[in-house]
Every structure is written in C-alpha cells, then in structure tokens.
Amino acid sequence: MQTNGKWLGIDRRQFLARTSGSLLAAAIPCSLKAAGRTAISSGSSQSSAVSSPQPAASSMRKIPIGVFDPVYEHLSLEEMLERVSALGLEAMEIGTGGYPGTGHCPIDELLADSAKAKAWKKKFDDHGIRVATLSCHGNPVHPDEKHAARDRESFRKTVLLAERLDVKVIVGFSGCPGGTPTDTQPNWITYRWPPEYGEMLDWQWTEKVVPYWKEAAKFARTHGVHRLALEMHPNFVVYNPRTLMKLREMAGEEIGANCDLSHLFWQGCDPVEVIHFLGKEKAIFHAHMKDTVLFPENVAKYGVLNFASEVAELPEASAAFRAVGYGHSASLWKSVVRAYMDIGYEGILSIENEDPILSGPVGVERAAYVLKNVRSELLGS
C-alpha cells in the first residue's frame, strides 16, 4: 500500500539499504569476504567476454550513462542534480509512480501546468542531464482492483507526461494477476504441472495480462510513446527473455525489455547472448546496470531460487545484488557494453543500486567508475 509515494512496511530497497556495512559483513558467506572479490561468474559469460571480436571504435556509439533516481530519495531535486552532474553522468531515469514513487517528479503538477513541466525539465537541461526515461513500476493486473487501478493510473499519467516532455521510453513491470477470478493476491506461476497450474497460467495470460497490455500499448501509441520497457523480474509474468517475447508477440511491438541483467544472472543466462538475442528482435528499450553475486557453496546446496529476505538469512543466501563490477568482473561488463554497442542500442545505461554492501550513492559512484572506464576503453578514448 502506498501513501504519498512511500510504501507501508519495508520494501526491498529499504531492506538492502539497512543491511549494509558491518551487519552484512558478519552475515555473508566466506566467499564474498575475500577482499570483495567476485564469488562466482558464469562460465559462458566469461567466455563471451574473451571471445567476442572487438569492433572498430569509430563504428560504435557512445551510449549515455545515467542513474535511476530512487537511490537519491533523501535529496531534493536540485541536490540530486548536483550530485549526478558531479559524477559526470549524462542522463536520468525518473520515477513517476508505483514502487519508485514520485519523490523528484510532482507528476500531477507537471500535467496540470505545461509551464511547470517546462521549468522542471530545464533544471535537468541546465546540468547537462537528459531525462531519458520515466518509470512507473507497478502491478497493473493485480487481483486487488484498488491496487491495480492505482498502478494503471500511474501508467496513464506517465504516458501523458512522456508525451509532454518528449520522453520516448517508459519503464515498468508486466505485473502478475491471481490464478483465478476469486484470488486476492498475485500468483507467480513458472511451471505448468500439476495441470491446475497450467490452467491458471493460461487464464492469467488470456484473461488479464494480454488484454491489459494490448490496451496499454494502444494508449501509449496514441500519445506518441512506442517503447514500453518491461523489466524481466521474478514475481511477475515477464521474468526472462522468453516470456518477454511472448508478451511482445501477443500485445504489440511497443512491448520491449528493460534489460536488467541482475535478474538474469541467477537464472543462468549469458548476458551477451541475451543482448544479442533481444537486440536482433529490436526489443531492448532500456537497460538497468546492476550486478548479482552468486555464492557457489550455497548454490550447490540450495539452488538459485534463494535470495535472502531477512538479515538472519544472509549466511544461507545463494545470491545478492551488487554494484556493477562487484558481482562479475569489469571484463564481463566490458563485453556487456560492447554487446549493446554491437546491436545499435539507442537507450541509456541506467545505474540502479541495490547493493547491500556499497549502499546508496556509494554504489552508484563505484558502478559509474566501472562503466565509464569500460566505455572509454571500447571507444578508444
């Protein structure tokens, strides 16, 4: 439940921000304590970093590096812009509702008064920062109609604001319905057996997910927005490249990916393969820059579906989010940025920090350092 852009209880970002420093150091498996090194890397991912041919620097676009604003929720808009500008970042992803809130974007005011919208955007322009994407991550197909209606309205307003500001990309979640018409909570189904689960999965897509996103895509198209970047995230019906492409094929080409690799590493995906696959389909509209560390001793015992939800669970965790370069090597991230250049990606590299060790702005600074360096190496500058 949301009140003034804040969610009652503790969300994932709050939990990770609170479990920093010495608390986590005492709890994490021994593999991560060794000088903060990478605990495990995908063999296929590392081989991609080594074997991919280096394209000519002159043929590659300089992809802007930016940041997703909730990490600066404690700062005013002006303070945040000063901080981002000082880091040499070139773009921002701004929350306009749903889980990210509206802390730096008074969306109702900006929709009510075009002069205010122009003045708000000018603050970014004056710092040399582009408002590249608007984000309203939520669950517009939630079985609780109040919840769903709130998130659908956030999406509607975000589309209208994107039209006013000439922002071309909106980021969000696909959502997750219940499993039957009488359910009151979402039901994330990834396996079709026993048979009732297959029936529920079919019902979700046929009756809830596809109809909503067809209408949402049509509404966005009507207002000049053709890129709806859905994050492939657990607990939502789009959680990997296959489910993303399924929805794109059924709801329209306005549907594409927010390619957040942190949610794909633990599923065993090779990031370069994912980027090339989705890029070939022209289906990558946005990219979150966030890493994941896997703890091999716990993966071996418990498997990968084992993220910690409480501090006491961290010693048994199989995975945790990290800043870019702290879960996988800088060489791997160089291959990721190269892959985005290879496919002619037109978006930004948007840093989202949920690192429980390098918490808050510190993680943004570390990620920015890695990304700027690998981009410079690729461009020969």
Side-chain angles (χ1 to χ4, degrees), residues 81-235:
L81 291 174
E82 289 291 339
R83 182 76 64 89
V84 172
S85 178
L87 287 175
L89 300 180
E90 301 132 337
M92 289 205 71
E93 173 184 356
I94 300 296
T96 54
Y99 299 110
T102 60
H104 298 115
C105 181
I107 189 167
D108 290 330
E109 290 182 26
L110 302 188
L111 287 175
D113 189 331
S114 60
K116 285 186 177 180
K118 185 177 180 180
W120 181 84
K121 187 172 182 292
K122 187 175 184 299
K123 292 179 180 180
F124 291 83
D125 295 338
D126 289 345
H127 285 83
I129 298 168
R130 177 163 64 96
V131 180
T133 57
L134 302 179
S135 293
C136 55
H137 298 70
N139 188 350
V141 293
H142 196 288
D144 181 332
E145 180 52 31
K146 278 189 173 181
H147 188 141
R150 181 181 64 228
D151 288 346
R152 289 195 298 266
E153 179 66 3
S154 290
F155 174 80
R156 187 189 72 83
K157 289 180 180 178
T158 299
V159 169
L160 297 178
L161 184 61
E163 180 182 33
R164 172 162 288 182
L165 299 176
D166 195 29
V167 172
K168 302 300 184 184
V169 180
I170 291 174
V171 186
F173 291 136
S174 59
C176 185
T180 70
T182 59
D183 285 359
T184 60
Q185 293 295 334
N187 190 341
W188 186 41
I189 303 166
T190 62
Y191 202 78
R192 295 188 63 86
W193 194 91
E196 59 267 28
Y197 288 91
E199 293 170 5
M200 287 190 289
L201 190 60
D202 292 340
W203 179 85
Q204 288 180 328
W205 280 78
T206 302
E207 299 298 326
K208 295 295 181 179
V209 178
V210 173
Y212 170 75
W213 282 109
K214 276 187 174 180
E215 285 301 311
K218 180 181 178 182
F219 179 76
R221 188 186 317 128
T222 300
H223 291 277
V225 177
H226 300 278
R227 296 188 171 190
L228 305 178
L230 301 185
E231 186 167 338
M232 297 172 281
H233 193 290
N235 285 330

Side-chain angles (χ1 to χ4, degrees), residues 228-282:
L228 305 178
L230 301 185
E231 186 167 338
M232 297 172 281
H233 193 290
N235 285 330
F236 297 107
V237 294
V238 167
Y239 58 89
N240 63 12
R242 187 178 181 189
T243 49
L244 175 80
M245 292 307 299
K246 176 181 177 181
L247 184 58
R248 179 178 169 89
E249 290 163 6
M250 298 177 79
E253 291 189 354
E254 284 78 15
I255 304 298
N258 167 24
C259 194
D260 187 331
L261 296 172
S262 72
H263 304 303
L264 303 182
F265 283 128
W266 63 265
Q267 295 184 59
C269 294
D270 181 308
V272 172
E273 289 292 327
V274 168
I275 293 167
H276 284 165
F277 165 65
L278 293 176
K280 184 178 179 181
E281 302 295 330
K282 301 188 183 304

Side-chain angles (χ1 to χ4, degrees), residues 266-339:
W266 63 265
Q267 295 184 59
C269 294
D270 181 308
V272 172
E273 289 292 327
V274 168
I275 293 167
H276 284 165
F277 165 65
L278 293 176
K280 184 178 179 181
E281 302 295 330
K282 301 188 183 304
I284 300 181
F285 298 156
H286 189 59
H288 273 174
M289 295 288 106
K290 187 173 67 180
D291 211 339
T292 294
V293 64
L294 301 175
F295 304 122
E297 63 272 32
N298 288 340
V299 171
K301 287 186 291 186
Y302 308 128
V304 296
L305 292 174
N306 183 40
F307 267 75
S309 60
E310 298 177 5
V311 174
E313 296 172 339
L314 287 171
E316 303 300 315
S318 296
F321 293 126
R322 295 304 317 267
V324 169
Y326 287 80
H328 293 79
S329 69
S331 294
L332 185 281
W333 282 99
K334 184 177 178 180
S335 74
V336 166
V337 176
R338 181 190 304 158

